[in-house]
Amino acid sequence: MTQSVVVQVGQCGNQVGCRFWDLALREHAHVNKKGVYDEALSSFFQNVDSRRSDGRACGVGGRIQHLKARAVLVDMEEGVVNEILQGPLREVFDSTQLLTDVSGSGNNWAVGHMTYGSAYKEQIVDKLRKAAEHCDCLQCFFLIHSMGGGTGSGLGTRVLSLLEEEFPEVCRIVTSIYPSAEDDVITSPYNSVLAMRELTEHADCVLPVENQSLVEIVNKIKHMSHGAKPGAAIRRDSTVISGQGGLSGAEKPFDAMNNIVANLLLNMTSSARFEGSLNMDLNEIAMNLVPFPRLHYLVPSLTPLYTLADVSVPTRRLDQMFSDAFSKEHQLIRADPKHSLYLACALMVRGNVQVSDLRRNIERLKPSLPFVSWNQEGWKTGLCSVPPVGHSHSLLALANNTCVKPTFMELRERFTRLYRKKAHLHHYLNVEGMEQSFFSEAITSLSSLIEEYHHLDATKLKLMPDAPRLCIAT
């Protein structure tokens, strides 16, 4: 069994990470009734016996003592991390995994990347190494951060480059929360474009999630709940809330949005955490879905999303779930992949689903999904037998699809609007080590990325239906 380490950076990264650990513990508690530290738990948790003076972890097969998350928490403000340490998850982390400051990055990528990145480089590397040393077979680093603020975008991408330097052979999967156009951080276009260059250069896979998409999904669920029959309510175990049995207390303002991202991570890691008839290794995601190194942005979609307690929204049938995964309402960025070009697609299914169900649905959907001519069979599939708590089955689709292009074009436009006037630029250039060339190089990198997607889109027009095959009379 392999292990992975989650690195959560900045306020958003730590809030999403907190939801992931809460929900992961709930899943394992639902499955692991005997209190035995098994391989499923070892993939993301250590089992530490506090009675041992050396604090060493216990091996697989023994009783659960104290579970510690395989995680590193970084934030340049103390608030969120302190909240975690005072909350129900406090026993899951210890001080050796945490790195905080008090002043924050002031919504400035340069402060996060340059100032804090340099000041805390050795401490960050030390914590990453310690986390790696506790793994028998380290397979993947998951980095969770946001793009709009200073710490998530700046220090988050500095941590990413440190991961590449220190662990070049270990897969780096990044979940990036992109700000909406109405974001209250005026400098978020600068932060996002500067971070994009780092993601393009140093990540193996990036899962872009748009704040606006999360807002729309949550609002739609609330609307469904209000429009349902009297007494209907959002299910306690739906994707959008924590569910009973989780460690968290009262819901916080962003919990609904953060839970959707946490469930994305739960489903993606399910094959690493549980058994299944068709398990998918995490490093197989990049191997199978990324044909070109820079085009590693994988659009996530998740189903079920819209599940209520009442019959107003009945449980989705299996085939409908597959259809939903390719509809724009279930994408975690505002995109319609059916009208763009697929380079490859992964389907990660949980629950009592057969391989034949997978194949039948792929064959059913294939005619409506345009794939590049040289990769018509570009599907990667995984089956995990353990469904999410409260559901019979679930599906996560990861699509390498040119539909990310409009998101990147909108970001470029917002960046250009500020940069044309050189607005707020002095805040960045006053930071030691920051030069104006960073801006021009970042926007050139983004434009080049957009152009690569544009060239692929142009080939879609040339896609011709297969010639009819000859029938041989017998």
Side-chain angles (χ1 to χ4, degrees):
M1 205 74 171
T2 58
Q3 293 85 39
S4 296
V5 173
V6 176
V7 186
Q8 37 201 73
V9 184
Q11 178 180 329
C12 176
N14 279 292
Q15 286 173 334
V16 170
C18 182
R19 303 304 315 121
F20 168 76
W21 294 112
D22 183 13
L23 296 173
L25 283 168
R26 180 173 65 123
E27 274 195 356
H28 285 284
H30 193 73
V31 174
N32 188 329
K33 304 292 188 188
K34 295 180 179 177
V36 173
Y37 180 64
D38 55 15
E39 289 190 335
L41 272 170
S42 77
S43 57
F44 279 84
F45 294 92
Q46 279 183 273
N47 186 26
V48 177
D49 189 347
S50 54
R51 294 169 300 181
R52 289 189 181 185
S53 56
D54 57 6
R56 285 178 58 192
C58 309
V60 169
R63 301 291 300 171
I64 294 174
Q65 302 294 333
H66 286 93
L67 291 179
K68 296 288 183 185
R70 299 188 187 276
V72 176
L73 285 63
V74 180
D75 200 358
M76 295 297 101
E77 290 176 356
E78 293 179 304
V80 173
V81 173
N82 281 349
E83 204 174 294
I84 293 170
L85 292 181
Q86 290 161 15
L89 284 172
R90 61 185 174 275
E91 299 295 331
V92 182
F93 308 104
D94 63 50
S95 58
T96 64
Q97 299 170 276
L98 315 176
L99 180 62
T100 58
D101 199 290
V102 292
S103 50
S105 299
N107 297 323
N108 188 327
W109 180 89
V111 173
H113 200 84
M114 302 290 180
T115 307
Y116 288 129
S118 299
Y120 286 108
K121 177 183 175 181
E122 288 181 10
Q123 289 183 56
I124 291 169
V125 168
D126 183 56
K127 290 182 188 301
L128 293 171
R129 283 178 181 159
K130 279 190 169 68
E133 285 166 7
H134 291 310
C135 300
D136 295 326
C137 182
L138 177 58
Q139 184 176 51
C140 185
F141 283 105
F142 284 96
L143 176 66
I144 312 170
H145 74 132
S146 71
M147 300 287 278
T151 302
S153 69
L155 188 55
T157 51
R158 185 64 181 267
V159 170
L160 178 64
S161 63
L162 290 174
L163 287 172
E164 186 180 41
E165 284 175 29
E166 295 293 324
F167 309 94
E169 305 303 316
V170 181
C171 185
R172 298 173 298 283
I173 297 178
V174 185
T175 301
S176 302
I177 315 298
Y178 282 69
S180 59
E182 294 77 35
D183 191 71
D184 61 352
V185 177
I186 294 170
T187 54
S188 71
Y190 284 163
N191 297 332
S192 300
V193 170
L194 289 162
M196 276 284 295
R197 184 192 178 199
E198 302 296 314
L199 292 179
T200 302
E201 297 298 324
H202 302 297
D204 290 310
C205 294
V206 178
L207 311 180
V209 176
E210 278 186 311
N211 251 336
Q212 192 57 41
S213 279
L214 298 177
V215 168
E216 288 170 9
I217 288 167
V218 170
N219 286 342
K220 184 172 179 181
I221 292 172
K222 284 179 180 172
H223 177 73
M224 284 177 167
S225 181
H226 293 316
K229 289 190 279 184
I234 299 174
R235 277 173 54 157
R236 288 297 304 166
D237 48 17
S238 79
T239 302
V240 82
I241 63 171
S242 340
Q244 288 170 323
L247 294 177
S248 62
E251 295 293 320
K252 297 184 180 64
F254 294 106
D255 269 0
M257 293 164 65
N258 292 338
N259 272 316
I260 294 171
V261 186
N263 273 277
L264 152 65
L265 293 167
L266 279 182
N267 282 328
M268 186 165 61
T269 60
S270 60
S271 272
R273 294 182 297 119
F274 301 113
E275 291 183 352
S277 56
L278 197 62
N279 269 11
M280 187 192 302
D281 266 356
L282 292 166
N283 54 13
E284 289 181 44
I285 296 172
M287 182 63 70
N288 288 275
L289 297 189
V290 183
F292 307 113
R294 285 165 54 85
L295 305 186
H296 54 234
Y297 293 86
L298 308 179
V299 179
S301 63
L302 200 55
T303 178
L305 275 175
Y306 309 107
T307 308
L308 304 186
D310 213 305
V311 292
S312 53
V313 181
T315 303
R316 306 303 262 172
R317 294 189 308 277
L318 185 63
D319 287 10
Q320 184 60 49
M321 192 176 75
F322 278 89
S323 300
D324 287 345
F326 296 92
S327 71
K328 61 183 180 181
E329 290 80 13
H330 284 74
Q331 309 303 313
L332 300 191
I333 69 167
R334 288 167 299 158
D336 192 352
K338 279 189 171 182
H339 291 99
S340 300
L341 192 63
Y342 282 87
L343 281 71
C345 185
L347 298 177
M348 306 168 93
V349 187
R350 301 181 63 180
N352 185 20
V353 180
Q354 306 303 314
V355 175
S356 57
D357 295 321
L358 257 176
R359 289 178 179 152
R360 174 171 49 79
N361 275 286
I362 288 174
E363 290 304 318
R364 177 175 65 85
L365 291 163
K366 264 169 76 172
S368 64
L369 304 174
F371 270 70
V372 286
S373 57
W374 40 265
N375 199 24
Q376 291 287 305
E377 302 300 322
W379 296 87
K380 180 67 183 170
T381 53
L383 282 178
C384 170
S385 57
V386 178
V389 177
H391 295 287
S392 56
H393 40 247
S394 71
L395 169 61
L396 167 67
L398 297 176
N400 194 339
N401 188 295
T402 59
C403 68
V404 295
K405 187 176 71 170
T407 297
F408 296 162
M409 289 173 72
E410 183 187 307
L411 182 57
R412 179 174 65 178
E413 188 181 319
R414 288 167 52 216
F415 174 97
T416 306
R417 219 175 291 147
L418 283 177
Y419 192 62
R420 195 182 287 128
K421 300 293 184 183
K422 301 292 186 281
H424 301 282
L425 212 58
H426 61 289
H427 298 302
Y428 291 78
L429 299 181
N430 287 339
V431 175
E432 187 179 346
M434 188 68 185
E435 298 173 11
Q436 194 161 334
S437 60
F438 279 68
F439 286 86
S440 54
E441 288 166 7
I443 198 64
T444 299
S445 171
L446 180 57
S447 293
S448 170
L449 189 68
I450 291 167
E451 195 60 28
E452 287 178 62
Y453 283 115
H454 183 68
H455 282 310
L456 282 165
D457 262 340
T459 66
K460 184 186 169 198
L461 303 173
K462 301 173 188 173
L463 286 177
M464 299 291 289
D466 289 343
R469 298 184 180 181
L470 292 172
C471 294
I472 300 172
T474 53

